[in-house]
Amino acid sequence: MGTNGDVKIGVYVCHCGTNIAAKVNIKEVVEFAQTLPHVTIAREYKFMCSDPGQELIRQDIRELGINRVIVASCSPLMHEATFRRVLEEGGSNPFFFHMANIREHDSWVTSSSRQATRKAQALIAAAAKRVFFHEALQKNSVPVNSNVMIVGGGISGIQAALTIANAGKKVYLVEREPSIGGHMAKFDKTFPTLDCASCILTPKMTQVASHPNIELLTYSEVESVEGYVGNFKIQIRKKARFVDENLCTGCGECTEVCPIDIPSEFDEGLGMRKAIYRPFPQSVPNTYTISRRGLPPCQATCSLHQKAQAYIQLIAKGEFEKALQIILRDNPLPSICGRVCSHPCMSVCSRNKVDQAVNIPGLKRFVTDRLSDYELPKPERERKEKIAVVGSGPSGLMCAYELRQRGYKVTIFEAASQPGGMLTQGIPAFRLPRGIITDEIERLERTGIDIKLNTHVGIDISLKDLKKKHDAVYIAIGAGVERKLNIPGENLRGIWGGIDFLRRINLGMHITPGKRVLVIGGGNSAIDAARTALRSGAEEVTIVYRRSRNEMPADQLEVEEAEKEGIRFYFMASPLRFLGNGRVTGMEFIRTRLGHPDESGRRRPVPIPNSEFTLPCDGVIVTIGQKPDVESLRDRLGLALTKFNTFVTDPLTLETNIPGVFAGGDCVTGPDVVVNAMFAGKKAAISIDRYLNRQDMREGRELEGPFEPTFEIDTEGVPVKWRIEMPSIEIERRRTFEEVHTGYTPEMAMEEAARCLACAGCCDCQLCSTVCEAKAIDYNQKDTTLEVDVGSIIIATGFKTFDPKRIPSYGYQILPNVFTSLEIERLINSAGPTGGEIILKNGEKPKSVGIIHCVGSRDIHHNRYCSRVCCMYSLKFAHLIRERTHAEVYNFYIDMRAFGKGYEEFYDRILEEGAHLVRGRVAEVTDVALDSSEEGKLIIRVEDTLIGMVRRIPVDMVILSVGLEARPDAEEVRRLFNISCSVEGFFLERHPKLAPVSTFTDGVFLAGACQGPKDIPDSVAQAGAAAAEALALIDKGVVELEPNTAWIEEEECSGCQTCVALCPFTAISYDAEKHVSVVNEVLCKGCGTCVSACPSGAAKQHLFLDEEILAEIEGVLTI
Amino acid sequence: MQTHRKVKYEAELDPSFTKWVSTVPGGERIRECFQCGTCSSICPLSVYMDISPRRLIAMADAGFKEEVLSSFTIWLCASCYSCSVNCPKDIKITDIMYGLKRRAIEEGIFPSRHFAIPILAKAFANMVRKNGRATESRLVVSLAWRVSLFRLLNMAPLGIKLLLRGRLSFKKEKIQNKQEIQTMLKALEANR
């Protein structure tokens, strides 16, 4: 044992007043200590930590040559640092020291004096064994970065920032909201002096903004924190505010045009703000922000990304002209789409969660009907390139329009005598009047598009010629060839293909399909054919479909209309053959049941054996689908085809296998809806434009087209309001081709549009950018990440108020006129939603007001603690309400807490003014009146505990003085900064009395209410203290690191790297040359994870060497 | 009117009662009561009580044994548990009321000799002990006999109507093997 030199141990047993001495027999312990090996001297003293106590140790080191010291007293957390310093002063290495905790671990927690004494002996024996092995260690020191980051821009953060910045140090002030100011900015007056909150706060806010040493990062959040005291590396995410802070002048023109109203968070939802907003007029920075959750679901899911929320919001405001202009930005055929679009937007409408989707196409139609003399924009420049479009259906028209807008010369070749493709030929006039199509196409022609009718490409002009004469070709010939049932009897007279039938009638022929007509199929064409048959002289029309109603692909609204008109449906029947001789007289079917889902996801119909039956008829229309007529093009130049006879194209660009030839719409996808055909046309136009400009056709195009909504909103509490039905003509009149739906009136349209929840916030209408003179608005702004190096961090993230909905008997959000204290702050504030008028929901002034203290506080079911500020702000309300409304005010308190400077005097003043103070916790607030004096009032039921009677007090307004809680994300913030939370969720200070602004993580300090409920004076005082701590650290310039770091014995390390992955501080790296792990001592925090994990025992830690620990255990066991 | 000297001397209080109350199941937290009055104001019957639940808790905790055990309050409690649910200190006031009632029965202290509720409770318990079940009609009569015959006469018209409709029967209700319940109750009592 001589290896460690001549060890002389001194043992010092502390009485700690009576804390230890009352339980532990000190004398016995000292006598025992003297018997231990290597112990030279054992002493006792009343307070070892006091100056004379310390001197004892110093003296023994000097005079007796003591070179190991054991102090048996309190916790090392309390005084380890003190005694190490003593050793240093005495001329010894400070780490030749060990502390035996005989207070927290012994005298305080042991009931028997005998046992306490025994335990003290065991602990000292252990310490004596251990301290023998202690090594002389040196503290490392590292320089401190003088920058400080402050998280949270409330009054605490502001105060701390200014203090540090005024001392000449750089401050990063990070605030999550668009403006600094925090809760205090919402207040009107502050207790007890009643000075105006904004008068004392806003000068500080502007000082922050203009201070050269403060970098203000609003609308930003801390993403990650790395490093250690003196040297933190912080990642900060600056959220996109879609407004350039440097350009915005804060003029506010944008809010004048913004159509979106959102309940103002700053006004606690009592007033409205726009989607582009600044929280309050004195906001710092004086910059606007756009609230944008993402693209509205309706817009996201639309192939054309029509800005549906935008035009709906404008319609709701009566701004029809603006709405039209928004519609025309993305859609040159709006009056057609408003009638026949399959509206995928409606199925994702957020309103579905409440009741029914908004009638989006109906509203679009309303605008185009009302302002029907609109024109499409003309191209701004002309280009010489010529483009041929084959087919004038929606896809061809869209492509032609998009290319024409870019200045190209576009010619559309149409085989039929009328333009419009399936719009004209397939969709009946009672849904889409011919005049509407003509008007839309003429508008397109007026932009300079040439349409050549009766020109069948393949017959009148070859595709080859077309390709030669034009710079690019877009093929959009649709899918016009009927599919057949392929069952016996299909050639009988009286059997029509659905498209053939519709085409003939739509092109003006007069055909009667029969008196009793069967329609086979369940798609939109089936419904169109059936309704057309009804209008062409048929008396009885039945749609026969082989699956059930749920699997029908047809639009549900159209199905309902067809039913109203008297069309019958026959489900679960599959056709077997046609009956008749020459002309069809009936049809044989077999019943089906639903089997397993097929590739379309719908359940497959399975025939039920021996269930054949016959339906009589004299006409049948078969609408079971179409395919493209690629044969009609004759010479196809070698264009590749799929097995379904559709063109093969690149899905991203729509280019075919021949450069310069593009194809899209039904002839590529098979039969599909109008909006997808238009989308293909638009996509092809973008490709052609890039093709002709020799740009990369594929770059950045993955995001075109519909996508799933990116967000969901909470619709709780939205009142149910069903869709406004669009007026239609009477059923009796539906035997002609008169349009069925007559469209909304302006009043109806505005009412329907008002149902829109504006779920995305900003609706992407971009009207604000049209009025912004500074050109500060940038819709493409993205979140950015910033990295800063700081030496210390002050957390001042504040609090949240208790949600009184958790106490239903107080009626918050159930009874009107029950307010929270924050709401009242806004009502009282002259810059608030009522301009400082304290009024009830009906606009009247209250004659009596009840203020309930301790809501959510001092209650085992919610928060056990007292929130400290509620009594005083409730008294402040009592004063302000009496002053402004002369109402009778009742305060219901449990105990009055008026402990601050001038607070008790303020309480006196309120009593003097005549407020009624009732001692008792309110049981309930109700509107059930027991007699006429309570009628129409809110009745507060409470026991007046000082009088000893239950009282019912009728009032007009109830104010709930809600308590303060930790912020809901305190847990995440705690992890981020590696600090602790107390049970209530507030951040934990290092010591409640002696280190109230420090945390257990060096270099991280706390200020304000994030550490516990606090009023403004206390928050500001704490902010000053936190700033002083940070400055002290900076001024010292270096931090000393504990030498309890780990290291790795190179010879023993096998290079398994287990420790590298486990180290929570990323302090271990792998030296690939030596095949060993290496600990960076500066980063090591001495947690010991690597030591316990190392399979070969190569990882070791100073102050926790194996021999030290084993000796300690041995020592404990000697007793 | 006469004036009374109203002062309670410590010597008149019963400190063992204080201790006992805190051992009643549910009474563990009684010391934490901060007299907010939620129990009294939420209680649907407190307006009829001579001592409000809040005061009762304070008095029980202070050792006012006579006053507490002879109060109407403990008998008027309808066991709706509103006070227990709403008490911000989680004091199980209803459970304490039960404890006090049991103590009052044991000590034979009642607000008045003719106060119906304890009499009813006793009659009910006896009937169940004997037959394993209560016969409501007989219970009413036996209660009236001991409290007030006059009130029975007052309620006669209602009783006759109920009888005629078959809603009130004088047939004794009993369970099978009623000796078993007696055995059980005896075993319970022997255990105490």
Side-chain angles (χ1 to χ4, degrees), chain A residues 339-344 422 426-428 430-431 498-499 501-502 506 519-532 543 545 551-562 567 569 602 621-626 671-675:
Chain A
R339 287 172 165 82
V340 300
C341 183
S342 52
H343 48 75
M422 235 8 123
I427 299 175
F430 59 86
R431 278 178 61 203
I499 290 301
F501 171 71
L502 287 169
N506 286 336
V519 179
I520 313 296
N524 280 317
S525 301
I527 309 288
D528 279 348
R531 296 175 75 188
T532 302
I543 293 177
Y545 181 49
E551 284 80 28
M552 262 176 101
D555 187 342
Q556 198 51 41
L557 293 174
E558 297 291 326
V559 176
E560 279 164 26
E561 290 299 329
I567 287 164
F569 287 85
R602 295 176 300 168
I621 304 170
V622 182
T623 60
I624 57 161
Q626 299 114 252
D672 202 352
V673 293
V674 172
V675 67

Side-chain angles (χ1 to χ4, degrees), chain A residues 484-505:
Chain A
K484 295 203 163 182
L485 280 169
N486 293 325
I487 55 171
E490 206 154 7
N491 294 326
L492 292 171
R493 268 188 293 123
I495 301 173
W496 305 82
I499 290 301
D500 185 33
F501 171 71
L502 287 169
R503 182 183 289 143
R504 282 169 198 249
I505 290 193

